[in-house]
Amino acid sequence: SIVDFLKELGARPFIFPAMGSHGGGTADGQAQVIAHYGITETAMGCPVLSSMEAVQIGQSLKGIPVFLDKHASEADHVVVVNRVKAHTEFKGEIESGVMKMLLIGMGKQEGARVYHKAFADHGFDRLVESLASVVIERAKVLCAVAIIENAYEETALIRGLAPHQIVASERALLQKAKDLAPKLPFDEMDLLIVDRIG
């Protein structure tokens, strides 16, 4: 739908995978990952440009370099599309979502390497905000489309965000995603774990 809408406006959209080092850290691997979800040139009606090449587009106030997919760096505008959801490994006010996509996803393997080290040194939430602001400005982000799923992994909410709304909105969107996530219907329970029996 986003591709069709951009075409109606006279744009020539393309899709680039934005998943840091996932897909084996290769261009082919990342193209295969999104193809598994049905995102192919034939299905989307536009080119899919998968590359691991990233360029530095600036740096944070702390001097941390900020990277961007090379194809995206050459585009007139970037539309960021991602689910907002809880992260599987850490908890915070910002976890998996648009801002993580702006950095670790669109920064490719080099960005993921630099940012993961920086997060360990400086903390995740605050650093993500400062780094994401650089990407929003320098990558010519036109807008973001945030998607929230319900407990059955069905789309529950689609929210369009102007660039200036991304940082301010993500915390509330994450809380909404957590509210809709599946949960055990107990505040407390007893659990017996048996390693070996019989």
Side-chain angles (χ1 to χ4, degrees):
S1 295
I2 294 168
V3 168
D4 290 343
F5 180 71
L6 291 172
K7 284 181 174 179
E8 288 175 11
L9 296 176
R12 291 172 296 162
F14 65 87
I15 294 171
F16 66 97
M19 56 188 73
S21 58
H22 290 281
T26 68
D28 286 343
Q30 294 202 348
Q32 289 172 17
V33 170
I34 64 172
H36 174 75
Y37 291 106
I39 301 172
T40 64
E41 292 189 355
T42 302
M44 297 294 108
C46 71
V48 173
L49 306 180
S50 185
S51 167
M52 294 308 293
E53 189 174 355
V55 297
Q56 185 175 340
I57 58 170
Q59 64 180 25
S60 73
L61 295 175
K62 294 183 180 291
I64 299 164
V66 177
F67 296 94
L68 179 65
D69 174 276
K70 185 172 188 301
H71 293 298
S73 74
E74 296 169 351
D76 294 323
H77 299 287
V78 174
V79 176
V80 185
V81 183
N82 200 25
R83 290 181 301 172
V84 176
K85 63 186 185 70
H87 197 278
T88 54
E89 293 182 16
F90 66 87
K91 302 297 173 203
E93 294 182 354
I94 298 169
E95 296 180 27
S96 278
V98 173
M99 286 197 284
K100 185 168 178 266
M101 172 76 76
L102 286 167
L103 299 175
I104 297 172
M106 289 170 35
K108 303 307 218 177
Q109 193 163 11
E110 180 65 11
R113 182 187 64 79
V114 170
Y115 303 144
H116 279 119
K117 182 183 182 312
F119 296 150
D121 295 339
H122 302 286
F124 186 78
D125 287 20
R126 197 170 303 127
L127 197 57
V128 163
E129 284 191 28
S130 64
L131 292 168
S133 297
V134 176
V135 179
I136 290 166
E137 178 185 344
R138 299 282 176 85
K140 297 171 281 190
V141 172
L142 182 65
C143 64
V145 178
I147 303 166
I148 294 176
E149 295 178 344
N150 63 20
Y152 301 98
E153 297 185 347
E154 299 165 337
T155 300
L157 176 70
I158 299 174
R159 176 74 47 85
L161 302 170
H164 69 276
Q165 296 175 310
I166 294 172
V167 173
S169 299
E170 184 134 341
R171 286 181 173 83
L173 290 171
L174 176 61
Q175 187 56 56
K176 176 73 172 172
K178 288 182 175 182
D179 291 344
L180 292 173
K183 299 172 190 64
L184 292 172
F186 312 105
D187 292 326
E188 295 182 15
M189 64 179 176
D190 295 319
L191 181 66
L192 171 67
I193 299 175
V194 180
D195 286 334
R196 200 168 186 180
I197 195 168

mmCIF file of all heavy atoms in Angstrom, residues 76-96:
data_model
loop_
_atom_site.group_PDB
_atom_site.id
_atom_site.type_symbol
_atom_site.label_atom_id
_atom_site.label_comp_id
_atom_site.label_asym_id
_atom_site.label_seq_id
_atom_site.Cartn_x
_atom_site.Cartn_y
_atom_site.Cartn_z
ATOM 1 N N ASP A 76 15.904 10.488 -2.326
ATOM 2 C CA ASP A 76 15.395 11.826 -2.000
ATOM 3 C C ASP A 76 14.724 11.837 -0.631
ATOM 4 O O ASP A 76 14.772 12.840 0.085
ATOM 5 C CB ASP A 76 14.381 12.277 -3.064
ATOM 6 C CG ASP A 76 15.035 12.480 -4.419
ATOM 7 O OD1 ASP A 76 16.181 12.951 -4.459
ATOM 8 O OD2 ASP A 76 14.399 12.145 -5.441
ATOM 9 N N HIS A 77 14.075 10.727 -0.283
ATOM 10 C CA HIS A 77 13.387 10.608 1.004
ATOM 11 C C HIS A 77 13.413 9.154 1.451
ATOM 12 O O HIS A 77 13.580 8.251 0.636
ATOM 13 C CB HIS A 77 11.923 11.061 0.900
ATOM 14 C CG HIS A 77 11.761 12.490 0.504
ATOM 15 N ND1 HIS A 77 12.039 13.531 1.348
ATOM 16 C CD2 HIS A 77 11.360 13.047 -0.666
ATOM 17 C CE1 HIS A 77 11.816 14.673 0.727
ATOM 18 N NE2 HIS A 77 11.405 14.405 -0.500
ATOM 19 N N VAL A 78 13.222 8.958 2.748
ATOM 20 C CA VAL A 78 13.152 7.610 3.315
ATOM 21 C C VAL A 78 11.857 7.488 4.117
ATOM 22 O O VAL A 78 11.530 8.366 4.915
ATOM 23 C CB VAL A 78 14.365 7.325 4.235
ATOM 24 C CG1 VAL A 78 14.213 5.974 4.928
ATOM 25 C CG2 VAL A 78 15.666 7.372 3.442
ATOM 26 N N VAL A 79 11.129 6.408 3.884
ATOM 27 C CA VAL A 79 9.944 6.067 4.677
ATOM 28 C C VAL A 79 10.317 4.842 5.501
ATOM 29 O O VAL A 79 10.698 3.814 4.950
ATOM 30 C CB VAL A 79 8.722 5.768 3.778
ATOM 31 C CG1 VAL A 79 7.532 5.315 4.630
ATOM 32 C CG2 VAL A 79 8.362 6.993 2.941
ATOM 33 N N VAL A 80 10.219 4.951 6.802
ATOM 34 C CA VAL A 80 10.610 3.865 7.701
ATOM 35 C C VAL A 80 9.358 3.087 8.101
ATOM 36 O O VAL A 80 8.383 3.677 8.559
ATOM 37 C CB VAL A 80 11.305 4.418 8.963
ATOM 38 C CG1 VAL A 80 11.808 3.284 9.842
ATOM 39 C CG2 VAL A 80 12.440 5.353 8.591
ATOM 40 N N VAL A 81 9.392 1.773 7.930
ATOM 41 C CA VAL A 81 8.247 0.924 8.276
ATOM 42 C C VAL A 81 8.730 -0.172 9.220
ATOM 43 O O VAL A 81 9.660 -0.916 8.892
ATOM 44 C CB VAL A 81 7.630 0.267 7.013
ATOM 45 C CG1 VAL A 81 6.397 -0.543 7.391
ATOM 46 C CG2 VAL A 81 7.300 1.313 5.959
ATOM 47 N N ASN A 82 8.116 -0.270 10.384
ATOM 48 C CA ASN A 82 8.533 -1.315 11.329
ATOM 49 C C ASN A 82 7.460 -1.549 12.386
ATOM 50 O O ASN A 82 6.668 -0.655 12.692
ATOM 51 C CB ASN A 82 9.843 -0.938 12.024
ATOM 52 C CG ASN A 82 10.554 -2.142 12.624
ATOM 53 O OD1 ASN A 82 10.375 -3.262 12.178
ATOM 54 N ND2 ASN A 82 11.368 -1.909 13.627
ATOM 55 N N ARG A 83 7.472 -2.765 12.923
ATOM 56 C CA ARG A 83 6.634 -3.067 14.088
ATOM 57 C C ARG A 83 7.249 -2.404 15.316
ATOM 58 O O ARG A 83 8.465 -2.301 15.434
ATOM 59 C CB ARG A 83 6.561 -4.572 14.344
ATOM 60 C CG ARG A 83 5.781 -5.335 13.316
ATOM 61 C CD ARG A 83 5.730 -6.808 13.658
ATOM 62 N NE ARG A 83 7.078 -7.365 13.737
ATOM 63 C CZ ARG A 83 7.340 -8.594 14.177
ATOM 64 N NH1 ARG A 83 6.371 -9.379 14.593
ATOM 65 N NH2 ARG A 83 8.573 -9.043 14.203
ATOM 66 N N VAL A 84 6.406 -2.001 16.243
ATOM 67 C CA VAL A 84 6.851 -1.558 17.561
ATOM 68 C C VAL A 84 6.431 -2.651 18.527
ATOM 69 O O VAL A 84 5.254 -3.006 18.606
ATOM 70 C CB VAL A 84 6.213 -0.204 17.953
ATOM 71 C CG1 VAL A 84 6.616 0.182 19.373
ATOM 72 C CG2 VAL A 84 6.621 0.882 16.961
ATOM 73 N N LYS A 85 7.420 -3.220 19.230
ATOM 74 C CA LYS A 85 7.114 -4.339 20.118
ATOM 75 C C LYS A 85 8.190 -4.467 21.179
ATOM 76 O O LYS A 85 9.239 -3.827 21.101
ATOM 77 C CB LYS A 85 7.017 -5.647 19.320
ATOM 78 C CG LYS A 85 8.299 -6.070 18.631
ATOM 79 C CD LYS A 85 8.058 -7.302 17.760
ATOM 80 C CE LYS A 85 9.359 -7.806 17.153
ATOM 81 N NZ LYS A 85 10.274 -8.409 18.130
ATOM 82 N N ALA A 86 7.908 -5.312 22.156
ATOM 83 C CA ALA A 86 8.894 -5.568 23.202
ATOM 84 C C ALA A 86 10.091 -6.302 22.611
ATOM 85 O O ALA A 86 9.949 -7.115 21.693
ATOM 86 C CB ALA A 86 8.258 -6.400 24.321
ATOM 87 N N HIS A 87 11.271 -6.002 23.135
ATOM 88 C CA HIS A 87 12.479 -6.697 22.705
ATOM 89 C C HIS A 87 12.580 -8.013 23.466
ATOM 90 O O HIS A 87 12.100 -8.137 24.591
ATOM 91 C CB HIS A 87 13.705 -5.819 22.979
ATOM 92 C CG HIS A 87 14.927 -6.250 22.234
ATOM 93 N ND1 HIS A 87 15.732 -7.270 22.678
ATOM 94 C CD2 HIS A 87 15.482 -5.807 21.088
ATOM 95 C CE1 HIS A 87 16.730 -7.444 21.826
ATOM 96 N NE2 HIS A 87 16.601 -6.553 20.850
ATOM 97 N N THR A 88 13.214 -8.991 22.853
ATOM 98 C CA THR A 88 13.309 -10.310 23.493
ATOM 99 C C THR A 88 14.402 -10.379 24.548
ATOM 100 O O THR A 88 14.400 -11.284 25.379
ATOM 101 C CB THR A 88 13.576 -11.396 22.431
ATOM 102 O OG1 THR A 88 14.734 -11.021 21.680
ATOM 103 C CG2 THR A 88 12.389 -11.546 21.499
ATOM 104 N N GLU A 89 15.351 -9.431 24.533
ATOM 105 C CA GLU A 89 16.500 -9.560 25.431
ATOM 106 C C GLU A 89 16.639 -8.452 26.466
ATOM 107 O O GLU A 89 17.349 -8.621 27.447
ATOM 108 C CB GLU A 89 17.791 -9.637 24.605
ATOM 109 C CG GLU A 89 17.877 -10.903 23.774
ATOM 110 C CD GLU A 89 19.181 -10.996 22.997
ATOM 111 O OE1 GLU A 89 20.127 -10.264 23.328
ATOM 112 O OE2 GLU A 89 19.243 -11.799 22.050
ATOM 113 N N PHE A 90 16.038 -7.290 26.258
ATOM 114 C CA PHE A 90 16.172 -6.233 27.254
ATOM 115 C C PHE A 90 14.870 -5.461 27.385
ATOM 116 O O PHE A 90 14.031 -5.478 26.500
ATOM 117 C CB PHE A 90 17.334 -5.282 26.909
ATOM 118 C CG PHE A 90 17.107 -4.482 25.653
ATOM 119 C CD1 PHE A 90 16.422 -3.276 25.695
ATOM 120 C CD2 PHE A 90 17.585 -4.931 24.435
ATOM 121 C CE1 PHE A 90 16.204 -2.546 24.545
ATOM 122 C CE2 PHE A 90 17.369 -4.208 23.279
ATOM 123 C CZ PHE A 90 16.672 -3.009 23.332
ATOM 124 N N LYS A 91 14.720 -4.786 28.521
ATOM 125 C CA LYS A 91 13.508 -4.012 28.809
ATOM 126 C C LYS A 91 13.869 -2.547 28.978
ATOM 127 O O LYS A 91 14.900 -2.205 29.528
ATOM 128 C CB LYS A 91 12.829 -4.524 30.094
ATOM 129 C CG LYS A 91 12.459 -5.996 30.041
ATOM 130 C CD LYS A 91 11.453 -6.274 28.954
ATOM 131 C CE LYS A 91 11.204 -7.764 28.796
ATOM 132 N NZ LYS A 91 10.695 -8.094 27.467
ATOM 133 N N GLY A 92 12.992 -1.675 28.499
ATOM 134 C CA GLY A 92 13.207 -0.240 28.632
ATOM 135 C C GLY A 92 12.012 0.503 28.088
ATOM 136 O O GLY A 92 11.002 -0.090 27.698
ATOM 137 N N GLU A 93 12.113 1.825 28.050
ATOM 138 C CA GLU A 93 11.029 2.633 27.507
ATOM 139 C C GLU A 93 11.040 2.622 25.984
ATOM 140 O O GLU A 93 10.059 2.954 25.344
ATOM 141 C CB GLU A 93 11.134 4.065 28.028
ATOM 142 C CG GLU A 93 10.903 4.168 29.532
ATOM 143 C CD GLU A 93 10.961 5.606 30.013
ATOM 144 O OE1 GLU A 93 11.282 6.508 29.211
ATOM 145 O OE2 GLU A 93 10.674 5.826 31.195
ATOM 146 N N ILE A 94 12.192 2.275 25.400
ATOM 147 C CA ILE A 94 12.330 2.105 23.961
ATOM 148 C C ILE A 94 12.952 0.732 23.751
ATOM 149 O O ILE A 94 13.991 0.427 24.333
ATOM 150 C CB ILE A 94 13.233 3.198 23.345
ATOM 151 C CG1 ILE A 94 12.615 4.587 23.554
ATOM 152 C CG2 ILE A 94 13.458 2.940 21.861
ATOM 153 C CD1 ILE A 94 13.551 5.719 23.228
ATOM 154 N N GLU A 95 12.320 -0.103 22.922
ATOM 155 C CA GLU A 95 12.861 -1.447 22.696
ATOM 156 C C GLU A 95 12.955 -1.686 21.183
ATOM 157 O O GLU A 95 13.791 -1.087 20.521
ATOM 158 C CB GLU A 95 12.020 -2.489 23.440
ATOM 159 C CG GLU A 95 12.085 -2.297 24.965
ATOM 160 C CD GLU A 95 11.283 -3.301 25.757
ATOM 161 O OE1 GLU A 95 11.071 -4.431 25.271
ATOM 162 O OE2 GLU A 95 10.849 -2.962 26.878
ATOM 163 N N SER A 96 12.122 -2.554 20.630
ATOM 164 C CA SER A 96 12.143 -2.778 19.178
ATOM 165 C C SER A 96 11.098 -1.875 18.534
ATOM 166 O O SER A 96 9.935 -1.899 18.929
ATOM 167 C CB SER A 96 11.812 -4.236 18.854
ATOM 168 O OG SER A 96 12.949 -5.033 18.991
#
